[in-house]
Amino acid sequence: MARHLITSALPYINGVKHLGNLVGSMLPADVAARALRAQGHEVLAICATDEHGTPAELAALAEGVDVAEYCTRTHELQRSLGEQFGLSWDWFGRTSRPQNHRMTNHFARRLRDEGYLQVRATQQVYSVADGRFLPDRYVVGTCPNCGYVKARGDQCESCGKPLDPTDLIEPRSAVSGSTELEVRESQHVFLLQSVLSDRIREWVDSHDGWPQLTTSIAHKWLDEGLEDRGITRDLAWGVPVDPDDFPEAAGKVWYVWFDAPIGYLGATLEWAEDQHGEGTAESWATFERWWRTDRGAEDVTYTEFMAKDNVPFHTLSFPATLLGSGEPWKLVDRLKSFNWLTYYGGKFSTSDHRGVFMSDALDLLPADYWRWYLMANAPESDDSSFTWQLFGEAVNKDLVGTFGNLVNRTATQVSRHFGEVVPEGGEPGQEEADLWQRVDERLGEYLTHLDALEFRKATAALRALWAEGNGYLEVREPWKTVKVDRDRTACTLRNALDLLVVIAVASDPFVPASTATLRAAFPEVAWESLPLDAGLTTSARLAPGAPFVPPGLLFQKLDADVLAGWEQQFGGTP
């Protein structure tokens, strides 16, 4: 049994996440976690809401509520939606909790002591109308790189170029819209990434198994030259800077992109303290077992999941924090990054009422429909586009026509001719030997792709495994043979039921609610004794006469007029 730490990029707190957010981090992390647990490994899956920064303040301001109240409410909403989607976190924390505050200030002190932080006088945008400094996203204007007129003061959403508020053309306040802005001096803490650049490059280059998307982004930033990064902001909402540590920055908060990745550690500490009590030696030891390589984490494989826009922060800035601390913290081993999922080639947009968000999706269909489509079309090698036609094809061909069809036709034949028991009689022949050889091959392919975090290839191999069952039934034709050879029919259907047990184990990472329904059809199977490994096909054999409860239809076909109505409802083609 190996130990695996899994984190997904923290969903930002400003509202319900769309399907692109889901497939870019949280859903693949869950599939990986479920697969590793099914293989018998020890897994700790951690996520949290990212709650600091200007968008949280602006969202709360727009709703006329206190930002802390807004974040508490939205955290509960995101947690509930994630659970309804079957996301099996071990802990879903919050970056606003005291554990993350303590960890963030700890790293700031360590970086200062190691000589990697420096206080500098900077030129900041000040709004006369608002009577305050306007950090990053509080300033909007035209991007000097691509001309996008709604660029934010930290990054242009159109071209992706990192920006400072003073870079923007025709800047204005995101709070009041005022253009009465001045540039004034303000003291801020900087992380000296330029000094750490060689160490970061050496660490990045040590991971030759990372996806090309991950390494190309990291090397692009390194080759362009890492710049020192301001990691404090003139805000009220965030992790406060300890004035005893940095008196020049008293009254400021740490930059959200400094404290958010530390939130992985903060959320793990939340989990540990939930188990053993706040501030106890047991909770700290439990936390260190996953994060300190001198306290047990040396045998942990740490995997991060994120969309491509998060890659620079996780391959450069966050490692700079951990490496620069001078302490033996666990750094990521595998970093799985994704391209964009678009909506008909354009962006999902709350303001334009365009695209499907997690709450919308669950109002329409159960989570497994979406889980399957998203992972079968995950934007791994390139951007992928959601369309209702592709969604309907994935549901109707894969879930209904292949998986659901195999379960339904097998259950129907068994209950019709043998009652609600595993059929007894008949000896397996060459057809059965050929079937299980092919199943072994398909299962081997599936496990290989899962281990490599190749999700589209894994779903293709799983789909092929489902298809083997339908092909076997077509060859054996139990609906015909039952009239002339009951023993042969019993053997056929018993093997088909054995294959359903294999499929129930193998399919669980992708469609867990459906496999739970399928598992309930076999009440005497000891599922915990059936790990997802190469030996599954020999261990997943049913005893003749064991009870079998037909599970009913697992999936419903989606009609063209229903899909057309949803396309119209959610925006459709531009």
Side-chain angles (χ1 to χ4, degrees), residues 31 34 367-373 399 403 462 466 503-504 506-517 555:
V31 171
R34 286 178 176 275
D368 279 359
Y369 289 72
W370 304 100
R371 288 176 65 103
W372 175 256
Y373 168 82
L399 296 181
F403 184 14
L462 183 58
W466 299 340
I503 286 172
S507 306
D508 185 73
F510 290 96
V511 285
S514 304
T515 56
T517 300
F555 307 100

Side-chain angles (χ1 to χ4, degrees), residues 91-372:
W91 191 259
F92 186 64
R94 302 178 63 183
T95 60
S96 63
R97 285 190 172 133
Q99 291 86 349
N100 193 49
H101 285 227
R102 299 200 303 267
M103 294 304 302
T104 299
N105 278 297
H106 169 81
F107 278 105
R109 284 189 291 271
R110 290 298 311 169
L111 289 163
R112 178 203 60 192
D113 294 345
E114 293 292 314
Y116 295 118
L117 292 188
Q118 186 179 87
V119 178
R120 298 177 181 175
T122 65
Q123 301 299 305
Q124 299 286 315
V125 175
Y126 184 88
S127 171
V128 177
D130 299 320
R132 60 177 294 175
F133 284 101
L134 298 178
D136 43 64
R137 294 193 182 194
Y138 272 63
V139 186
V140 293
T142 300
C143 174
N145 185 55
C146 70
Y148 180 58
V149 296
K150 294 182 181 180
R152 303 187 308 253
D154 63 340
Q155 187 178 33
C156 176
E157 282 189 327
S158 180
C159 68
K161 183 177 178 60
L163 299 169
D164 287 319
T166 53
D167 295 332
L168 294 172
I169 300 169
E170 298 180 348
R172 60 191 181 277
S173 168
V175 179
S176 62
S178 173
T179 58
E180 190 181 359
L181 307 179
E182 299 176 356
V183 177
R184 297 185 181 181
E185 185 174 282
S186 182
Q187 299 283 325
H188 282 280
V189 181
F190 278 73
L191 174 60
L192 304 184
Q193 294 184 146
S194 60
V195 180
L196 287 160
S197 180
D198 290 342
R199 289 181 64 187
I200 295 171
R201 183 184 292 274
E202 180 182 358
W203 174 75
V204 168
D205 289 344
S206 70
H207 295 84
D208 55 4
W210 280 359
Q212 177 63 31
L213 177 63
T214 300
T215 55
S216 63
I217 292 173
H219 282 130
K220 178 179 182 293
W221 281 58
L222 286 165
D223 293 343
E224 291 177 353
L226 284 188
E227 297 181 358
D228 299 337
R229 184 83 179 192
I231 57 171
T232 52
R233 293 293 185 269
D234 290 293
L235 289 171
W237 177 245
V239 178
V241 174
D242 189 329
D244 294 333
D245 295 330
F246 301 92
E248 307 96 327
K252 302 181 190 299
V253 300
W254 295 108
Y255 178 38
V256 63
W257 264 114
F258 181 64
D259 88 81
I262 297 171
Y264 300 137
L265 289 83
T268 306
L269 187 55
E270 287 181 53
W271 165 77
E273 292 190 337
D274 181 72
Q275 290 188 314
H276 302 293
E278 184 176 346
T280 64
E282 292 86 353
S283 63
W284 188 251
T286 299
F287 162 77
E288 288 188 317
R289 182 172 174 264
W290 289 98
W291 281 102
R292 292 271 300 209
T293 58
D294 61 341
R295 297 289 190 272
E298 63 276 4
D299 64 349
V300 169
T301 298
Y302 177 22
T303 307
E304 294 175 346
F305 293 85
M306 69 198 64
K308 59 186 177 183
D309 59 329
N310 286 326
V311 170
F313 300 101
H314 287 79
T315 56
L316 307 171
S317 301
F318 185 39
T321 297
L322 298 180
L323 290 169
S325 73
E327 296 176 320
W329 296 104
K330 179 66 184 178
L331 279 81
V332 65
D333 298 297
R334 309 179 76 190
L335 198 158
K336 177 68 174 181
S337 56
F338 292 85
N339 289 282
W340 302 125
L341 176 72
T342 65
Y343 187 79
Y344 286 87
K347 288 186 176 182
F348 290 79
S349 173
T350 305
S351 58
D352 294 336
H353 305 289
R354 193 162 175 275
V356 185
F357 289 70
M358 290 173 66
S359 54
D360 302 324
L362 292 172
D363 285 341
L364 300 180
L365 291 166
D368 279 359
Y369 289 72
W370 304 100
R371 288 176 65 103
W372 175 256

